[in-house]
Every structure is written in structure tokens, then in C-alpha cells.
Amino acid sequence: MKRFLIGQYGAFDQHKFERDFREDFFGIEACLLQTDEDMMALRQAAREHSFQVGIHFPLRDRGLVIRDALFLSPDPDERRDAYRLIQEELDEIAQLQLNPAYILFHYPKPIILDDRVNWSTWHFSDRREYVFESEYSFEEFKQRTEELFHWLTGQSERYGFVPVLEFDALNQYVYDSGVLEELLQKYRSIRLCLDTGRLYLQERRDPSFQSVRLVRKYAKYAEVIHLWNLQYGDGFVKLRYPVLPEQLPSEGWAPIAEYLHIIREENPDVKIQFEHRSDLVSDEDLERCYRWVSDMLTS
């Protein structure tokens, strides 16, 4: 279980830590902490329990409308602001002596949307958070992605962390071309995060997207998997549910067992961050979730 993490978002929740964390887990992924006390509690717990910290950018909640860095923006001023925000956070993290194992950023940002898909039910914080594929060329995507990879590689060497890009909604530039794989092979310190719930949700809303194919294509480049399930049906979506073996795709659940089978084949040492709402299940079912995932990845 040294590959497993739990999340702490918004605050360092001592009750969640005591209920969800296990002493043989890899660590905690933190995001949007609101106070200095939360930062100190995270650092102190990491030292006392000898676990690693992963950071989901931004670590500190600065009250911004868009929390993500828009490093692929068509607007050069927005791109400069994005890199500045990341740099400021890297400096603060260094001052806090959190020594994160990885720092994760949503990618691509802005999201590049397939014009053929109805995105009205996809969550966006602000109109600046997305651009349509018809307005954003493949060459722009390739150039700005390589600029990002080059910059993050330098920062990772300077500050000593693994840069991780978590896929947001994706278009054919990512799932139908080989350019991102080429860049991942060129800039080998850059790694990915695959979010099981988000990938499945896009498959249910985007007829051109196949989540299993995407997992097969990119699992080998993953540093961490954000693992949670959702049940999708007519008129409802059950979100952020802990994964359990009885959740059948025939009943609208994501094919978690198939994802885990591919991940075990392609990347057996990848980290698993349980990005679920543990309060939705009993203590017994939470333990069953941990045990099932461990068995799926090792048996």
C-alpha cells in the first residue's frame, strides 16, 4: 500500500486523516489549503507519520475565480500570469519546507473543446477556462505544450519535484495524435495523472472519446491515478464514490476493474490517490475499497 494516497482539500481535516489514512500509505495530496495553520498541520503530520506530500496546484486557496494556471492560453498576458503564479507557489512551497514528491497541474488549460460535443453540462469556473478546437490550432497546442514541458523540467530540477499533468477534458490533439507521447518521451521528468471519474464522464458525454483506449495509451506515463467512481444514468450522476467490486458497468458505473487491469499491465508501480468522498460509505466498505484495489494491482 506504499503507493496509496488520500486527499486533503480546503483544509487539513484531522478526522479524515484519522479515518482514511493508513500507516503504510505513501502520503497525502493537498490542494487549496486556506490557512497557515493548515500548512503547518500538513507538514507536522508528514514528519510525525513519515509520509510523502503531493501537491495539487494550487496548494493555497487565493480566492481566484480560476484556480488553474492557464499556461496554454492564446493570450500572452494570461500565459505570463500562469507561469508567474506557478513560480510564486514553488517559492512558497520551498519556504514551507514541504518537499513535495510531485506537484500536479490540470492540463490542457485552457481546455481545448471539440466543437462537435455539447459541453453545456461540463463544469467551468469561467469562460477563460476553455477554447474551442476550431479556434486553437494543432501547431499552437504542440508549441505551447513543449514550452510548458521545457519550463517545468527546469523547475523540477531546481526544486526537486516530479511535475505531473492531470488530464482535464480532452480533444483529438491528445487522444488521436502522437505528439504528446513524443514530448513525454523527450521530456522524461514530466508525468501524467489519469482521473478515472473524469475520463468516464467524458466518454458518456463525448461520442468520439473512449476512456479505455485513453488509459491504454497513456497509463505507462502516469505518476498517479486519481481513483473514484461515478454512476451515470438518465437524469442523474452519482459522483466521487469509492470504488467497489460490485459497481457494474451494466448499471452505469465506470469500468474500474478494466482500468486497473490495464494500469497493472502498463505501470504496476503507479501511485493511487483515492479522490473519493469516503463519507459516502461505511468504515467497512472503505476498507473493502482499499483491499480490492490493492488485490487488483498485485494479484
Side-chain angles (χ1 to χ4, degrees):
M1 288 187 177
K2 271 295 182 185
R3 67 174 63 191
F4 289 172
L5 300 96
I6 67 166
Q8 290 278 25
Y9 301 138
F12 186 86
D13 185 330
Q14 185 66 30
H15 173 71
K16 178 179 175 63
F17 176 70
E18 293 173 359
R19 180 175 186 255
D20 294 10
F21 192 77
R22 304 290 184 269
E23 288 301 321
D24 58 352
F25 277 18
F26 178 83
I28 285 177
E29 184 178 291
C31 179
L32 291 171
L33 300 185
Q34 297 183 4
T35 68
D36 290 339
E37 289 75 17
D38 290 319
M39 307 281 189
M40 296 305 103
L42 174 64
R43 187 177 70 180
Q44 185 63 28
R47 292 175 177 176
E48 288 181 1
H49 297 271
S50 300
F51 64 74
Q52 297 291 313
V53 173
I55 291 175
H56 186 309
F57 181 87
L59 173 63
R60 185 183 291 274
D61 184 357
R62 302 181 189 277
L64 301 176
V65 173
I66 301 176
R67 73 175 191 178
D68 296 312
L70 302 179
F71 36 59
L72 300 190
S73 174
D75 184 330
D77 290 335
E78 282 189 342
R79 292 201 302 276
R80 280 192 292 270
D81 284 344
Y83 284 104
R84 177 183 55 79
L85 285 172
I86 297 172
Q87 184 65 65
E88 289 175 356
E89 177 142 313
L90 292 178
D91 290 337
E92 180 179 17
I93 290 167
Q95 291 173 2
L96 290 168
Q97 299 181 325
L98 285 173
N99 303 316
Y102 66 84
I103 302 178
L104 178 153
F105 310 89
H106 281 183
Y107 171 89
K109 282 289 175 160
I111 301 168
I112 303 171
L113 298 179
D114 188 326
D115 297 74
R116 301 169 296 179
V117 179
N118 179 2
W119 296 100
S120 61
T121 55
W122 199 269
H123 174 71
F124 299 107
S125 300
D126 188 272
R127 177 61 182 85
R128 293 170 293 164
E129 218 179 350
Y130 64 89
V131 61
F132 284 99
E133 183 183 311
S134 59
E135 304 166 340
Y136 199 103
S137 74
F138 180 73
E139 287 305 314
E140 289 176 292
F141 166 77
K142 181 178 178 180
Q143 176 188 339
R144 289 172 188 156
T145 293
E146 182 152 19
E147 290 171 355
L148 173 67
F149 278 29
H150 179 77
W151 188 82
L152 282 177
T153 297
Q155 300 310 305
S156 71
E157 293 169 353
R158 177 182 175 187
Y159 292 93
F161 68 95
V162 176
V164 176
L165 301 179
E166 179 185 355
F167 284 152
D168 210 302
L170 301 173
N171 78 325
Q172 60 187 327
Y173 296 169
V174 172
Y175 62 73
D176 269 348
S177 85
V179 67
L180 187 57
E181 287 183 282
E182 292 172 8
L183 291 174
L184 288 165
Q185 291 165 12
K186 180 178 179 180
Y187 297 91
R188 293 186 177 273
S189 64
I190 309 295
R191 305 291 286 170
L192 298 179
C193 170
L194 307 181
D195 183 298
T196 59
R198 185 180 288 115
L199 292 177
Y200 178 62
L201 187 58
Q202 180 169 348
E203 179 175 293
R204 295 303 302 260
R205 294 175 174 174
D206 179 355
S208 300
F209 182 76
Q210 299 173 34
S211 62
V212 170
R213 180 179 171 223
L214 189 286
V215 172
R216 177 71 71 181
K217 183 179 178 74
Y218 286 111
K220 64 177 70 69
Y221 303 106
E223 181 73 13
V224 61
I225 305 295
H226 280 177
L227 188 64
W228 57 283
N229 207 350
L230 66 91
Q231 188 178 36
Y232 191 100
D234 294 334
F236 73 93
V237 180
K238 185 182 289 186
L239 295 170
R240 298 288 173 193
Y241 213 85
V243 300
L244 293 166
E246 62 268 25
Q247 295 163 348
L248 302 177
S250 61
E251 296 176 357
W253 294 96
I256 298 296
E258 189 170 7
Y259 295 160
L260 293 176
H261 179 74
I262 294 169
I263 290 163
R264 183 183 64 196
E265 286 184 343
E266 299 287 342
N267 193 349
D269 298 321
V270 72
K271 300 172 185 66
I272 303 291
Q273 202 273 101
F274 291 98
E275 201 180 56
H276 55 213
R277 282 186 53 194
S278 61
D279 61 299
L280 294 176
V281 297
S282 65
D283 290 347
E284 292 76 16
D285 279 346
L286 181 60
E287 187 61 33
R288 209 158 52 88
C289 165
Y290 292 160
R291 181 54 52 194
W292 181 63
V293 175
S294 180
D295 290 346
M296 286 292 293
L297 292 172
T298 56
S299 59

